[in-house]
Amino acid sequence: MRFQSQAAVALATLPTVFGITFEHMLAANRYGAAAPNPSGDFAIYTVSNYTFETAESASQWNKLDLKTGEISVWYAGSDISEVVFVGPTPTSIIYINGTNAEEDGGISLYSADANALEDAKLIASLPAPYSGLKAVQTSCGDIHFLVYTKAYPNGTAYNEALAPTPASTARIYTSIYVRHWDTWLDDQKNAVFGGVLKGGNGTYSLSGELTNYVTGICNVSCAESPYDQSDESDYDISPDGSSVVFLTKDTTLPLANYTADVIYQVPFTGTAKDAVPINARGSTKYPSAEGAATSPRYSPSGDKIAYFQMNGINYESDRTILYVADAKSEDFNVTALALNWDRSPDTIAWSKDSSTIFVSAPDLGNERIFPIPLTAGDSYVPTNITDQGVPAAFYVLPDDTILVSDSKIWTSRDIYTITPEGEVATTYFQANLVDPGLAGLGPEDVTEFYYTSNTSEIKQQSWVILPEGFDESKTYPLAFLPHGGPQGAWFNSWSTRWNFKVWADQGYVVIAPNPTASSGWGQNLTDSIQGRWGSYPYWDLVHVWDYVNDNLKYVDTSNGIVAGASFGGYITNWIQGHELGRRFKALVTHDGSTSTLNQYASEELWFMNHDFSGPFNQTGFESSSPYYEWNPLLYVNNWATPHFVIHNDLDFRLPVSEGILLFNMLQTKGVPSKFLNFPDENHWVTHPENSKVWHTEIFKWINYYSGISNATSPY
């Protein structure tokens, strides 16, 4: 059964096009995941877009009737930032308004009936920018809720708008991990707060003060939940409202050197002093489980807690394993499910009867949903019930079907239900069939191939994305896009940063390979990058190029280009100094590493310690060290291909000096080059106007050198 509705794109104003430009992609509607109400009668989701003509953003909430498929506007505007279904009826909600009447940087909490928003009642004005709302109704009719915000070391909520301005801007640190991603770190850290709403029948009042469950757990470092750049996925509340679980970095270890996390359970009526660790290192029957943990989730029955954890204590891309703990502080009895499964699941949804956990995991270029029963033994191998795409979220409905919101290379959002056995029950929405800016996109322009490389026993995969109006009798320049990570993959998903179809519709055949380090083809392929940055993935990419040159006659490899970001930028810099670099007309590096001797200027030192087989010290200057051996600057004398460099000021993972170094060396060598910098962007480019410039300048560069454009200059 399939439904579709034009109401879903009420914000879109673009003319219908066939093929997609970056302007259409950036201005197209962006959809949140559809979240169902408790009875499974309807779901709500956000829609937002940006209009270049007015330089304005717009957003709304849509309502999807899961019985009829009708889509309508539920709320027009951005005032409602978060909604939770909770209360006496299936349509009862509480929601956060991102501002408050005091205009003091805080938020407002409201209760309402989802079918009568105009009658919403203000519950409380909270004097801090809380977010991450989770809530349940207790047996007495009260609502217990969780939110998070930054807190002072004394546990009180921090509000930047009310904080005093210091006389000096100085920062002083006495231990490493001084900044992360795009933020300088300070004493204010995230904390989970709990509160009680007294009342009933949709009328509530805030009872007492909010309780901080996190601040004060300290050792070498102090607990923080959600951790730094994370969100409400780091904590949960039990269905009866009696308990809370949250995760934090292991406070017994230095933050910059280790990935280890600890999950705590605390009574809702307790404080941080009452928090009990569930998976502290060495406390379970799995002594090797010492690494990063994610997604603690109570079962609907409330007696189990599921979560994921890696083994490696300083490896952020180790295989994740699903664990289930009893929700009993006296004995958590942690048990692994499908312990030997060679995949890394990352999302949890319990079945309604608490007997099965549905997880999603990278698998052969997609992210597929797999059911895992609580009876699964170590050797159990789950079977996928979805195939194409990458879910943004999925929910188990009362009738046991699963509501999925996903994306694919050709569509920014599909919404549908599947049965527990994997049959598609109802397709409600497909953005590429409705959004004018995405018209003409479809799976017919996407294919894949597997190639043989001398670095692995298994064949490796690559995506092929064809341009609009593709004619196999013609040839199209190659756009060769190595992915970042290096652990990670190019997945069958939509992106507003590296959108394959946007690149292809410039007139290229896009080749997006998944070489050594890629995830979804077994942990061995992912792990094989360690100590081999410039060898295994480089030779894999050579084999990809050879395969394309020998087998895809419609690809013009003589006028190809390479573009990559992060590790993709590093390998582009490495390619520049090697024979493969002479096979391309132009290169693009976005926020990549230029000198591996500079890796310790980053923030997450565990990453370098793992990938370069140890910490950086004087041996890093010896030829046997990966820091030395895989340094692109060793081959600077070979640099010759025109090279466009992009690097952003707020990228603390790979500091902007890496891009300046690359550009300086190219200019000194006399290699045609250009440098683009955004002072307000981090490792990514996310602001629409900046993204427009990013695309404009890249395409100007590559289209000139590939011969697609008739421009007289790439500058």
Side-chain angles (χ1 to χ4, degrees):
M1 184 166 30
R2 173 176 294 174
F3 298 108
Q4 199 73 68
S5 171
Q6 290 293 335
V9 290
L11 295 176
T13 58
L14 294 171
T16 300
V17 296
F18 294 95
I20 185 169
T21 66
F22 64 81
E23 293 95 343
H24 288 113
M25 181 269 294
L26 293 172
N29 288 338
R30 302 187 185 190
Y31 301 94
N37 78 319
S39 60
D41 294 322
F42 65 92
I44 56 174
Y45 60 93
T46 58
V47 188
S48 63
N49 67 23
Y50 183 82
T51 302
F52 284 102
E53 290 77 10
T54 61
E56 293 180 341
S57 297
S59 63
Q60 67 186 40
W61 288 80
N62 279 358
K63 179 180 179 181
L64 167 62
D65 188 315
L66 296 174
K67 305 303 182 184
T68 67
E70 180 184 357
I71 299 174
S72 58
V73 176
W74 182 65
Y75 180 78
S78 59
D79 295 338
I80 297 178
S81 58
E82 300 179 36
V83 179
V84 172
F85 288 100
V86 63
T89 75
T91 58
S92 298
I93 62 171
I94 61 173
Y95 68 83
I96 287 178
N97 184 312
T99 60
N100 59 14
E102 293 80 4
E103 297 184 348
D104 60 0
I107 60 139
S108 301
L109 195 62
Y110 285 82
S111 64
D113 187 288
N115 293 327
L117 282 176
E118 65 277 8
D119 297 324
K121 298 180 177 67
L122 175 65
I123 301 172
S125 178
L126 303 179
Y130 295 99
S131 60
L133 180 65
K134 294 190 175 184
V136 296
Q137 186 175 33
T138 66
S139 58
C140 68
D142 293 343
I143 289 177
H144 288 184
F145 71 94
L146 302 178
V147 287
Y148 77 91
T149 193
K150 287 186 176 295
Y152 289 104
N154 66 6
T156 59
Y158 169 76
N159 184 343
E160 184 179 10
L162 300 179
T165 302
S168 170
T169 59
R171 303 184 184 106
I172 299 175
Y173 298 89
T174 58
S175 61
I176 56 177
Y177 212 54
V178 301
R179 61 185 191 176
H180 189 221
W181 191 248
D182 58 6
T183 304
W184 287 90
L185 302 181
D186 54 32
D187 289 337
Q188 290 80 51
K189 298 182 183 299
N190 286 334
V192 182
F193 290 78
V196 177
L197 304 182
K198 291 283 188 180
N201 297 319
T203 301
Y204 299 94
S205 61
L206 180 63
S207 176
E209 301 294 323
L210 302 190
T211 299
N212 183 329
Y213 299 113
V214 178
T215 305
I217 301 174
C218 294
N219 194 310
V220 174
S221 63
C222 290
E224 180 177 27
S225 186
Y227 169 61
D228 196 2
Q229 303 286 326
S230 191
D231 55 27
E232 64 272 14
S233 63
D234 281 0
Y235 57 85
D236 199 19
I237 186 168
S238 63
D240 64 359
S242 65
S243 300
V244 174
V245 288
F246 64 88
L247 71 82
T248 177
K249 294 279 283 187
D250 189 330
T251 60
T252 68
L253 297 169
L255 291 175
N257 302 83
Y258 298 95
T259 57
D261 290 320
V262 176
I263 298 172
Y264 289 85
Q265 181 170 246
V266 59
F268 183 83
T269 55
T271 68
K273 295 179 181 179
D274 304 304
V276 180
I278 294 174
N279 64 330
R281 288 180 295 123
S283 68
T284 74
K285 58 186 174 184
Y286 305 95
S288 59
E290 297 186 313
T294 61
S295 308
R297 293 292 178 273
Y298 282 101
S299 62
S301 62
D303 62 352
K304 302 287 184 183
I305 302 165
Y307 66 92
F308 301 121
Q309 188 167 19
M310 301 178 186
N311 286 340
I313 198 170
N314 67 345
Y315 183 22
E316 66 182 17
S317 300
D318 202 1
R319 183 169 63 90
T320 55
I321 298 169
L322 175 63
Y323 293 92
V324 175
D326 292 340
K328 300 176 182 177
S329 296
E330 62 274 13
D331 181 13
F332 290 112
N333 187 31
V334 173
T335 302
L337 302 183
L339 178 66
N340 301 323
W341 184 34
D342 199 13
R343 290 294 183 267
S344 288
D346 53 25
T347 306
I348 288 172
W350 283 88
S351 64
K352 293 301 181 182
D353 64 1
S354 300
S355 67
T356 301
I357 301 172
F358 294 91
V359 303
S360 63
D363 187 48
L364 307 181
N366 295 274
E367 176 125 351
R368 292 168 169 156
I369 297 174
F370 300 81
I372 302 178
L374 290 190
T375 56
D378 291 355
S379 60
Y380 183 84
V381 179
T383 300
N384 60 294
I385 58 174
T386 60
D387 185 19
Q388 295 184 323
V390 173
F394 53 95
Y395 298 87
V396 180
L397 299 176
D399 64 359
D400 293 328
T401 61
I402 302 166
L403 178 65
V404 181
S405 300
D406 73 12
S407 74
K408 303 173 179 71
I409 290 172
W410 56 88
T411 178
S412 61
R413 179 64 75 235
D414 286 354
I415 303 174
Y416 56 95
T417 52
I418 58 170
T419 67
E421 296 73 35
E423 296 294 327
V424 176
T426 305
T427 299
Y428 293 104
F429 180 73
Q430 294 170 290
N432 62 310
L433 300 184
V434 175
D435 282 6
L438 276 56
L441 304 186
E444 62 275 5
D445 291 332
V446 180
T447 186
E448 62 183 326
F449 64 82
Y450 278 79
Y451 61 94
T452 301
S453 178
N454 60 349
T455 66
S456 64
E457 295 180 355
I458 66 169
K459 287 189 174 183
Q460 299 172 13
Q461 184 259 12
S462 178
W463 295 106
V464 181
I465 298 87
L466 304 174
E468 184 64 28
F470 172 74
D471 183 342
E472 193 169 0
S473 67
K474 298 180 180 179
T475 60
Y476 304 84
L478 165 65
F480 198 69
L481 307 183
H483 68 67
Q487 297 88 355
W490 286 131
F491 291 108
N492 181 12
S493 63
W494 185 260
S495 173
T496 55
R497 290 183 291 115
W498 289 80
N499 187 289
F500 297 150
K501 200 63 173 73
V502 166
W503 285 67
D505 284 356
Q506 290 288 308
Y508 296 94
V509 170
V510 170
I511 301 296
N514 281 309
T516 294
S518 298
S519 52
W521 286 268
Q523 194 62 31
N524 184 61
L525 186 69
T526 307
D527 292 348
S528 294
I529 186 69
Q530 184 181 25
R532 302 186 178 104
W533 268 35
S535 60
Y536 279 23
Y538 173 76
W539 290 111
D540 294 340
L541 296 178
V542 170
H543 284 88
V544 174
W545 190 95
D546 288 341
Y547 180 95
V548 171
N549 188 60
D550 294 342
N551 295 279
L552 305 184
K553 300 306 179 184
Y554 49 83
V555 180
D556 177 5
T557 54
S558 64
N559 286 297
I561 64 92
V562 180
S566 194
F567 177 81
Y570 161 84
I571 202 67
T572 299
N573 297 341
W574 185 260
I575 287 171
Q576 171 71 283
H578 290 77
E579 187 271 336
L580 185 58
R582 308 292 76 79
R583 302 184 192 179
F584 294 100
K585 294 295 187 182
L587 311 177
V588 178
T589 292
H590 172 99
D591 286 37
S593 174
T594 301
S595 173
T596 48
L597 298 180
N598 297 339
Q599 291 295 311
Y600 256 50
S602 187
E603 7 86 294
E604 295 178 347
L605 301 187
W606 67 72
F607 176 77
M608 279 66 68
N609 293 346
H610 174 270
D611 271 33
F612 289 84
S613 302
F616 184 78
N617 50 41
Q618 68 182 39
T619 63
F621 296 96
E622 299 173 2
S623 59
S624 60
S625 167
Y627 290 98
Y628 180 91
E629 186 175 11
W630 309 125
N631 190 348
L633 290 182
L634 291 176
Y635 303 93
V636 67
N637 287 344
N638 299 334
W639 293 7
T641 304
H643 203 145
F644 183 24
V645 183
I646 306 155
H647 219 112
N648 302 327
D649 282 6
L650 297 182
D651 186 353
F652 297 163
R653 177 142 303 172
L654 287 166
V656 67
S657 56
E658 290 294 288
I660 295 172
L661 171 61
L662 175 59
F663 181 61
N664 287 349
M665 295 302 298
L666 289 163
Q667 289 279 302
T668 301
K669 283 281 296 175
V671 178
S673 48
K674 179 167 63 171
F675 181 66
L676 172 63
N677 167 262
F678 295 103
D680 56 344
E681 298 283 6
N682 52 37
H683 201 52
W684 303 332
V685 175
T686 59
H687 299 94
E689 297 289 351
N690 288 346
S691 187
K692 181 179 179 180
V693 173
W694 187 87
H695 283 88
T696 298
E697 294 301 321
I698 288 178
F699 291 156
K700 186 190 302 181
W701 185 262
I702 65 174
N703 291 352
Y704 172 81
Y705 284 106
S706 67
I708 281 180
S709 77
N710 295 320
T712 58
S713 170
Y715 297 102

